[in-house]
């Protein structure tokens, strides 16, 4: 039985995509092999890889002067790859701290650069986004980095920062493909796949061409954006299965109406859940309304001692993985593209019933 999986990642994938992969798992395109067993340099896989890139470019309307890379190492490796590719030793960089993932990116950048935290959401206990007018940016910064969606805190930027001439860098791990974005406003976008793109083990990087060629000389070649771009992300063996599966997800997104359709659906799902929570008198979400994430909805119960029972009973009803991140506790429902509205309706129905019994 398939359940509604509310995990923040690895997260739910569209059933249609899984069924497509299953149908061709043991004999991909008449090769007599699975896609995991074919050469990444063979014509069939290269065509599959290029089609995935073309579909992603179409979905996001990626301008021609951007390169799309399909890499390994997760968003976490990008925390280091970004300063190493874009700055010289000792360079100054700006970071905005809105929560747990920002902090990890900052800690890693500090190993290679002088980091100026241009804004910190500590004032709001990380339940909001610091208004841009108060940011204290370093005029010498090589780039400005931020986390558009904090997956653990459930805090999402309601705006794209205006970085001026400085390259804007965004960790979009848990928000890429949830709605249309204007790629041209960014210098670099990166995302681990396992939230809203495909399976773990794949990382997507979208980088403006003029930022290639700024890497440090001792950078390992496999980490080099320029080197990977020159080799079509096949400087070494790429994560072939993840790339293939992401390609199936991109095709599914196109069939479903693209990112405008996703945005409408994701908004409706989020409004349903926040609306219920706010009116319930039993559940609460601490995030400032303007900064509430469409993708990750943390919530607490009026009686925290019931949280274990809540998660266990929900799981029995086919509503899986509602426990909050181990660092913050509480509950969290992640509503990525693959989560249908019916899953959120089922969750709200369960929450209502649970509150009636325990409220
Ligand atoms: C999950 C996540 C990460 C870490 O991703 P890995 O692929 O595990 O390295 C980083 N940033 C954000 C915003 C995330 O949601």
């Amino acid at each position: 039985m398939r359940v509604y999986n509310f995990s923040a990642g690895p997260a739910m994938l569209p059933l249609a995509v899984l069924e497509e992969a299953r149908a061709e798992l043991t004999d991909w395109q008449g090769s007599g092999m699975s896609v995991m067993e074919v050469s990444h340099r063979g014509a069939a896989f290269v065509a599959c890889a290029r089609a995935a890139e073309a579909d992603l470019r179409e979905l996001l309307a990626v301008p021609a002067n951007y390169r799309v890379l399909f890499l390994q190492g997760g968003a976490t490796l990008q925390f280091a790859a970004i300063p190493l590719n874009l700055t010289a030793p000792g360079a100054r960089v700006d970071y905005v701290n809105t929560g747990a993932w920002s902090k990890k990116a900052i800690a890693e950048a500090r190993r290679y650069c002088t980091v100026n935290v241009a804004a910190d959401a500590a004032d709001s206990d990380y339940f909001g986004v610091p208004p841009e007018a108060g940011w204290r940016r370093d005029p010498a910064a090589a780039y400005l980095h931020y986390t558009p969606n904090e997956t653990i805190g459930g805090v999402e930027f309601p705006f794209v920062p205006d970085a001026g001439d400085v390259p804007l860098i965004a960790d979009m791990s848990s928000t890429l493909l949830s709605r249309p974005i204007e790629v041209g406003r960014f210098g670099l976008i990166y995302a681990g796949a396992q939230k809203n793109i495909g399976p773990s083990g794949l990382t997507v990087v979208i980088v403006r061409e003029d930022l290639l060629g700024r890497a440090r000389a001792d950078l390992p070649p496999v980490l080099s954006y320029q080197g990977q771009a020159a080799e079509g992300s096949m400087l070494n063996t790429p994560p072939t299965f993840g790339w293939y599966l992401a390609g199936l997800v991109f095709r599914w997104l196109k069939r479903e109406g693209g990112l405008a359709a996703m945005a409408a659906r994701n908004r409706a799902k989020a409004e349903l859940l926040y609306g219920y929570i706010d009116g319930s008198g039993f559940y609460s979400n601490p995030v400032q309304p303007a900064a509430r994430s469409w993708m990750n909805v943390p919530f607490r119960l009026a009686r925290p001692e019931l949280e274990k029972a809540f998660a266990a009973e929900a799981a029995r009803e086919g509503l899986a993985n509602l426990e909050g991140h181990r660092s913050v506790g509480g509950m969290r429902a992640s509503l990525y593209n693959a989560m249908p509205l019916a899953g959120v309706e089922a969750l709200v129905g369960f929450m209502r019933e649970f509150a009636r019994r325990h409220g």
Side-chain angles (χ1 to χ4, degrees):
M1 183 194 90
R2 289 283 290 174
V3 300
Y4 292 119
N5 177 6
F6 292 92
S7 172
M12 192 168 176
L13 286 161
L15 180 59
V17 164
L18 295 176
E19 285 176 338
E20 224 180 318
R22 176 173 64 187
E24 58 188 11
L25 186 67
T26 57
D27 182 8
W28 183 63
Q29 295 190 353
S31 65
M33 293 173 263
S34 83
V35 69
M36 287 176 275
E37 299 166 293
V38 303
S39 167
H40 59 291
R41 304 205 187 273
F45 187 80
V46 170
C48 163
R50 293 297 151 241
E53 178 182 338
D55 286 338
L56 180 59
R57 283 182 170 276
E58 184 183 328
L59 284 163
L60 284 167
V62 177
N65 63 326
Y66 284 75
R67 305 302 294 264
V68 178
L69 308 178
F70 291 82
L71 307 176
Q72 306 191 48
T76 302
L77 186 55
Q78 293 307 310
F79 293 162
I82 287 161
L84 290 172
N85 270 279
L86 301 186
T87 70
R92 287 149 66 165
V93 289
D94 277 341
Y95 278 70
V96 178
N97 180 8
T98 47
W101 288 115
S102 302
K103 287 180 186 141
K104 293 207 171 181
I106 289 166
E108 194 67 8
R110 284 218 160 100
R111 290 154 51 82
Y112 308 109
C113 295
T114 302
V115 174
N116 170 50
V117 177
D120 196 304
D123 289 352
S124 69
D125 265 334
Y126 300 97
F127 292 140
V129 169
E132 207 177 357
W135 295 10
R136 291 172 307 277
R137 289 175 46 198
D138 182 340
Y143 61 75
L144 171 64
H145 178 283
Y146 81 118
T147 310
N149 185 64
E150 286 283 357
T151 319
I152 296 173
V155 169
E156 182 154 14
F157 275 70
F159 60 90
V160 174
D162 179 4
D165 294 337
V166 172
L168 179 63
I169 300 194
D171 175 0
M172 293 210 186
S173 292
S174 50
T175 180
L176 192 64
L177 300 177
S178 68
R179 73 195 79 189
I181 53 168
E182 207 184 320
V183 173
R185 295 194 54 183
F186 299 87
L188 186 148
I189 291 165
Y190 64 105
Q194 69 274 18
K195 281 46 183 284
N196 212 16
I197 299 175
S200 64
L202 172 72
T203 313
V204 172
V205 173
I206 303 172
V207 55
R208 214 173 58 211
E209 259 165 9
D210 63 282
L211 298 177
L212 303 176
R214 301 185 181 188
R216 301 181 186 200
D218 57 357
L219 181 73
V222 74
L223 287 186
S224 159
Y225 298 143
Q226 188 171 41
Q228 289 284 13
E231 299 289 336
S233 304
M234 294 197 192
L235 191 141
N236 66 332
T237 315
T240 52
F241 187 74
W243 195 335
Y244 151 82
L245 205 86
L248 296 186
V249 171
F250 302 152
R251 288 215 312 249
W252 175 79
L253 286 169
K254 285 171 63 177
R255 287 199 301 276
E256 295 290 305
L259 301 193
M262 284 304 125
R265 263 191 223 181
N266 288 328
R267 175 193 287 277
K269 291 184 302 187
E271 279 177 356
L272 173 62
L273 185 51
Y274 287 117
Y276 171 67
I277 289 172
D278 289 346
S280 70
F282 186 77
Y283 305 95
S284 60
N285 169 281
V287 179
Q288 294 173 5
R292 283 175 165 181
S293 169
W294 288 6
M295 294 283 100
N296 313 98
V297 183
F299 59 91
R300 307 214 75 121
L301 277 58
R303 295 166 55 197
E305 71 276 12
L306 290 174
E307 283 172 356
K308 268 204 162 61
F310 178 93
E313 283 180 38
R316 283 199 291 279
E317 304 276 324
L319 307 167
N321 291 321
L322 284 161
E323 296 87 354
H325 190 268
R326 56 196 152 80
S327 64
V328 292
M331 317 306 302
R332 173 176 53 169
S334 293
L335 314 178
Y336 301 117
N337 287 338
M339 176 61 65
L341 179 63
V344 185
E345 288 168 346
L347 173 61
V348 167
F350 170 79
M351 290 169 75
R352 187 174 280 127
E353 178 57 21
F354 189 90
R356 190 187 59 74
R357 280 186 282 122
H358 298 283

